[in-house]
Amino acid sequence: MGLLSKKDAALIKDPLADNNPITIQVLGICSALAITAELEAAIVMSISVLFVLGIGNVVISLMRNIIPSKIRIIVQLIVVAALVIIVDQVLKAFAYELSKTLSVFVGLIITNCIIMGRFEAFALANGPWRSFLDGIGNSLGYGVILIIVAFFRELLGAGTLLGFKVLGDPIEKTGAYKFGYENNGFMLLAPMALIVVGIIIWVQRSRNKALIED
């Protein structure tokens, strides 16, 4: 299929569903709890991880034959830290208010289990092209879950999407709410992120019985 063989295409498609890093591998769950109260923050975090993991996988792959085994984790941390600093500086330059909202969570990309896991499990054993595809696939799988969770949390919790009011505006004079809905603040609390992720896992596994462990 064009530039991609079936094996290469699977590197992108599998993490989106049957091998999703959050719902199947249970990695990167902390950010799914922490920054999904707002859809905009979830989108920016997803793009940031896409950049860091895509480029980072390529860098580690290119260096894989010259990295001493004993210090490979240190080298991986240096690579991801450098990329995270770039992301952080770009956010501060072009989206300062959002960078303050994400604050420490951008820095915590450095310790994101998905990134270190793909460096260790894939990039150290494969060429740059396949490593790039693996990074893109896993970051997209991560981002899809973040965006789905943030969509429902912001919509039901604040009645907004990307800051625009969708539900819960009082109708003039009557004081009634659009669609008979009043914002549920509980959706903005971290436990609800875990519940939404749990629902996604339930739906995913109910559609694919092979994912259900004995």
Side-chain angles (χ1 to χ4, degrees), residues 71-88:
I71 63 167
R72 70 185 189 283
I73 300 298
I74 297 174
V75 173
Q76 291 168 16
L77 284 171
I78 291 172
V79 169
V80 71
L83 293 170
V84 168
I85 289 171
I86 293 173
V87 169
D88 187 46

Side-chain angles (χ1 to χ4, degrees), residues 31 34-49 91 97-103 105-106 109 142-143 146-147 150-151 153-154 161-163:
S31 51
I35 54 90
T36 53
E38 295 181 4
L39 184 56
E40 183 181 20
I43 292 172
V44 172
M45 178 63 79
S46 300
I47 295 172
S48 300
V49 170
L91 283 176
E97 290 302 318
L98 186 57
S99 75
K100 289 197 297 183
T101 299
L102 292 172
S103 61
F105 299 113
V106 171
I109 293 176
Y142 166 85
L146 247 63
I147 290 169
F151 175 88
R153 289 186 69 195
E154 182 178 349
L161 286 175
L162 296 175

Side-chain angles (χ1 to χ4, degrees), residues 1-9 12 129 133:
M1 48 177 297
L3 292 174
L4 301 180
S5 66
K6 286 185 178 180
K7 288 185 178 180
D8 288 346
I12 294 179
W129 174 240
L133 294 178

Side-chain angles (χ1 to χ4, degrees), residues 2 25 33 56 62 81-82 104 106-107 175 188 203 205:
Q25 301 175 44
L33 303 180
L62 290 171
V104 68
V106 171
L188 300 177
V203 171
R205 298 195 176 203

Side-chain angles (χ1 to χ4, degrees), residues 33-210:
L33 303 180
I35 54 90
T36 53
E38 295 181 4
L39 184 56
E40 183 181 20
I43 292 172
V44 172
M45 178 63 79
S46 300
I47 295 172
S48 300
V49 170
L50 179 70
F51 171 78
V52 172
L53 185 51
I55 301 300
N57 256 14
V58 172
V59 172
I60 295 298
S61 177
L62 290 171
M63 298 172 60
R64 69 188 187 282
N65 294 324
I66 61 173
I67 300 176
S69 177
K70 292 182 179 179
I71 63 167
R72 70 185 189 283
I73 300 298
I74 297 174
V75 173
Q76 291 168 16
L77 284 171
I78 291 172
V79 169
V80 71
L83 293 170
V84 168
I85 289 171
I86 293 173
V87 169
D88 187 46
Q89 293 304 308
V90 169
L91 283 176
K92 286 180 178 177
F94 298 102
Y96 183 68
E97 290 302 318
L98 186 57
S99 75
K100 289 197 297 183
T101 299
L102 292 172
S103 61
V104 68
F105 299 113
V106 171
L108 288 177
I109 293 176
I110 296 171
T111 57
N112 191 310
C113 299
I114 297 171
I115 294 174
M116 296 303 294
R118 299 324 296 170
F119 284 0
E120 186 74 9
F122 199 91
L124 284 175
N126 292 273
W129 174 240
R130 298 197 78 229
S131 296
F132 175 72
L133 294 178
D134 178 79
I136 296 299
N138 278 275
S139 53
L140 287 176
Y142 166 85
V144 164
I145 300 301
L146 247 63
I147 290 169
I148 291 173
V149 173
F151 175 88
F152 287 106
R153 289 186 69 195
E154 182 178 349
L155 178 64
L156 301 179
T160 62
L161 286 175
L162 296 175
F164 296 99
K165 204 70 177 174
V166 177
L167 299 174
D169 266 345
I171 299 174
E172 193 175 352
K173 295 182 180 178
T174 65
Y177 285 83
K178 287 181 179 179
F179 311 113
Y181 180 80
E182 187 169 355
N183 296 338
N184 181 0
F186 188 56
M187 288 296 295
L188 300 177
L189 301 180
M192 281 309 301
L194 195 58
I195 291 172
V196 175
V197 171
I199 293 172
I200 295 172
I201 292 173
W202 172 69
V203 171
Q204 186 177 32
R205 298 195 176 203
S206 66
R207 294 182 60 191
N208 187 350
K209 302 299 183 182

